[in-house]
């Protein structure tokens, strides 16, 4: 069984504190929106799908015990708190999309004269709770679609080697994972010879979190330093690179954890397919290209210290973007729960899916 990063029951929410992993496994109670904002901003919870789920559920646990005298006051409460949650980490689009969808629901419910304020509250709570199970189901479809696409390009039916970057598994989602879900599916099909994961400096999500998941699941895995990727692709016959995404622009440009772009460049040089695995909620059709994606800047201390120990010379300046943008032309395919799309066809295909869902 994969790890559980989010524990939820009606009115109660806990998250696995990822700042303490892999040394300590401790769950932290999230009692409302303020707690939700803090655990997202401090990266106690991270990963674009998990950020959206925890953000929305933090609102659910806050309003669950409250009584509202009118639908207008409930709608105003929802709007203000959702806007606040979106500000916790701006690059990942999933929280913004979830907030927009929940706000649209709140608006529609508030305008419906046949629905009472208590019914509006219950329907809103149910929508937030449904996000957990939907995310797991979507991730399992991403795993299936991605595994099939990667294995279709492999000669023969023998086991393959894969490379991933950062953390995209159960710790970054409600469960199973996106890019790591693809790896899990390849393993379930008995086609995984080995999975290599990068350390993912400076925050070490790969070394701390992905390695933790791989050991937990007993997958055949090896940790490599970020600076070893070129040597790895040259010498180890890697079948594909599969990574996640915090935001995908309409043209297929993709923002993901810093270091992704250089891996894509190296993969192209070595003719290794490079895949993005992400749910449709990570695709932002309002942004034409990656040039318009806001890139979060992180504190200098993440670079200058490991724990309490300083590793960089005092006084040195630091540049610490949390993400970089991989151009669409370097991406082989974008793996979603609805299929695997080439970047050039992504916008039209996603529009078709949205249109069919709304009819």
């Amino acid at each position: 069984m994969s790890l559980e990063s989010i524990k939820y029951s009606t009115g109660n929410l806990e998250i696995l504190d990822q700042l303490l992993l892999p040394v300590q496994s401790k769950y932290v109670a999230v009692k409302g929106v303020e707690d939700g904002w803090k655990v997202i901003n401090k990266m106690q919870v991270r990963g674009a799908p998990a950020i959206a789920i925890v953000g929305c559920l933090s609102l659910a646990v806050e309003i669950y015990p409250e009584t509202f005298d009118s639908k207008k006051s409930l709608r105003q409460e929802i709007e203000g708190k959702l806007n606040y949650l979106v500000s916790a980490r701006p690059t990942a689009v999933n929280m913004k999309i979830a907030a927009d969808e929940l706000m649209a629901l709140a608006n529609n419910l508030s305008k419906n004269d046949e629905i009472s304020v208590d019914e509006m509250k219950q329907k809103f709570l149910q929508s937030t709770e449904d996000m957990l199970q939907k995310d797991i189901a979507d991730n399992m479809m991403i795993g299936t679609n991605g595994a099939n696409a990667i294995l279709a390009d492999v000669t023969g039916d023998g086991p393959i080697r894969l490379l991933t970057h950062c953390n995209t598994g159960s710790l970054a989602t409600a469960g199973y994972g996106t890019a790591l879900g693809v790896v899990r599916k390849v393993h379930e099909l008995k086609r995984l010879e080995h999975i290599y994961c990068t350390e993912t400096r400076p925050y070490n999500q790969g070394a701390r979190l992905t390695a933790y998941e791989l050991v937990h699941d007993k997958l055949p895995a090896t940790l490599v330093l970020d600076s070893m990727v070129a040597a790895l692709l040259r010498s180890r016959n890697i079948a594909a690179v599969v990574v996640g995404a915090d935001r995908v622009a309409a043209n297929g440009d993709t923002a993901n954890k810093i270091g992704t772009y250089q891996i894509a460049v190296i993969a192209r040089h070595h003719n290794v397919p490079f895949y993005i695995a992400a749910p449709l909620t990570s695709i932002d059709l309002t942004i034409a290209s990656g040039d318009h994606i806001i890139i979060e800047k992180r504190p200098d201390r993440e670079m200058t210290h490991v724990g309490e120990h300083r590793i960089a010379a005092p006084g040195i300046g630091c540049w610490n973007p949390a993400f970089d943008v991989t151009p669409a032309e370097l991406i082989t395919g974008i793996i979603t729960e609805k299929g695997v799309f080439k970047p050039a066809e992504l916008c039209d295909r996603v529009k078709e899916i949205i249109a069919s869902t709304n009819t």
Side-chain angles (χ1 to χ4, degrees):
M1 177 181 291
S2 58
L3 293 162
E4 188 177 16
S5 62
I6 303 168
K7 290 184 177 181
Y8 176 80
S9 61
T10 302
N12 296 283
L13 174 63
E14 292 181 319
I15 59 100
L16 183 62
D17 188 346
Q18 297 185 30
L19 295 179
L20 302 178
L21 292 174
V23 177
Q24 183 180 1
S25 297
K26 178 183 178 181
Y27 285 87
V28 175
V30 177
K31 297 181 179 180
V33 168
E34 192 62 40
D35 287 347
W37 192 95
K38 287 178 180 177
V39 298
I40 292 169
N41 182 259
K42 291 169 62 179
M43 294 178 67
Q44 289 172 284
V45 62
R46 22 76 44 215
I51 286 171
I53 293 167
V54 169
C56 294
L57 288 178
S58 74
L59 175 55
V61 299
E62 180 163 317
I63 68 173
Y64 173 73
E66 294 184 12
T67 300
F68 297 89
D69 56 11
S70 69
K71 290 195 289 184
K72 179 180 179 181
S73 64
L74 175 55
R75 193 202 70 81
Q76 289 174 337
E77 178 80 356
I78 290 170
E79 182 176 29
K81 295 299 174 65
L82 286 175
N83 287 337
Y84 178 58
L85 286 163
V86 169
S87 72
R89 295 197 70 195
T91 302
V93 73
N94 304 57
M95 183 65 232
K96 178 64 167 62
I97 290 176
D100 289 345
E101 291 178 351
L102 288 176
M103 198 60 234
L105 173 65
N107 286 332
N108 291 334
L109 292 173
S110 67
K111 294 174 184 177
N112 189 335
D113 294 334
E114 297 180 359
I115 293 176
S116 68
V117 62
D118 289 338
E119 289 172 329
M120 174 179 172
K121 174 181 164 182
Q122 290 305 314
K123 288 180 180 295
F124 183 84
L125 290 175
Q126 187 63 55
S127 291
T128 61
E129 293 172 356
D130 288 346
M131 293 176 66
L132 270 171
Q133 294 307 315
K134 183 180 186 303
D135 186 65
I136 294 172
D138 287 348
N139 290 343
M140 296 187 78
M141 284 305 304
I142 288 170
T144 297
N145 293 338
N148 289 340
I150 290 171
L151 293 173
D153 283 340
V154 175
T155 301
D157 57 1
I160 63 172
R161 299 170 181 172
L162 300 171
L163 169 68
T164 193
H165 181 62
C166 197
N167 177 257
T168 57
S170 298
L171 296 175
T173 63
Y176 201 71
T178 53
L180 207 54
V182 175
V183 175
R184 285 190 166 104
K185 186 62 180 180
V186 172
H187 180 67
E188 290 169 17
L189 295 172
K190 303 188 185 306
R191 296 291 301 277
L192 181 68
E193 178 181 328
H194 216 82
I195 172 65
Y196 294 88
C197 65
T198 58
E199 59 177 348
T200 326
R201 282 282 295 155
Y203 215 66
N204 291 324
Q205 294 98 321
R208 292 189 302 109
L209 306 179
T210 300
Y212 183 80
E213 288 200 49
L214 296 174
V215 170
H216 178 274
D217 287 7
K218 297 181 172 58
L219 298 184
T222 295
L223 174 69
V224 297
L225 303 186
D226 293 359
S227 56
M228 296 176 180
V229 170
L232 179 75
L233 295 190
R234 184 178 183 182
S235 63
R236 293 300 174 94
N237 191 28
I238 303 298
V241 178
V242 57
V243 301
D246 287 83
R247 187 178 298 224
V248 182
N251 72 336
D253 291 350
T254 299
N256 192 50
K257 185 56 55 184
I258 191 71
T260 303
Y261 178 22
Q262 63 192 20
I263 295 175
V265 171
I266 294 167
R268 173 59 58 87
H269 178 77
H270 290 91
N271 295 315
V272 175
F274 183 92
Y275 287 93
I276 300 293
L280 291 178
T281 52
S282 292
I283 299 170
D284 188 355
L285 298 184
T286 68
I287 291 183
S289 72
D291 294 337
H292 305 289
I293 297 176
I294 298 171
I295 300 298
E296 174 188 353
K297 300 300 190 298
R298 299 293 299 173
D300 292 357
R301 186 179 177 85
E302 292 178 0
M303 296 176 63
T304 60
H305 289 70
V306 173
E308 298 302 316
H309 180 67
R310 174 177 275 277
I311 60 172
I316 188 66
C318 295
W319 181 57
N320 187 19
F323 307 92
D324 55 27
V325 175
T326 299
E329 59 265 25
L330 296 177
I331 298 171
T332 305
I334 298 171
I335 305 164
T336 77
E337 68 272 27
K338 296 296 185 180
V340 182
F341 310 125
K342 295 184 181 300
E345 66 178 353
L346 178 70
C347 185
D348 289 340
R349 295 297 300 275
V350 172
K351 286 180 178 178
E352 291 173 0
I353 292 168
I354 294 173
S356 64
T357 302
N358 292 335
T359 55

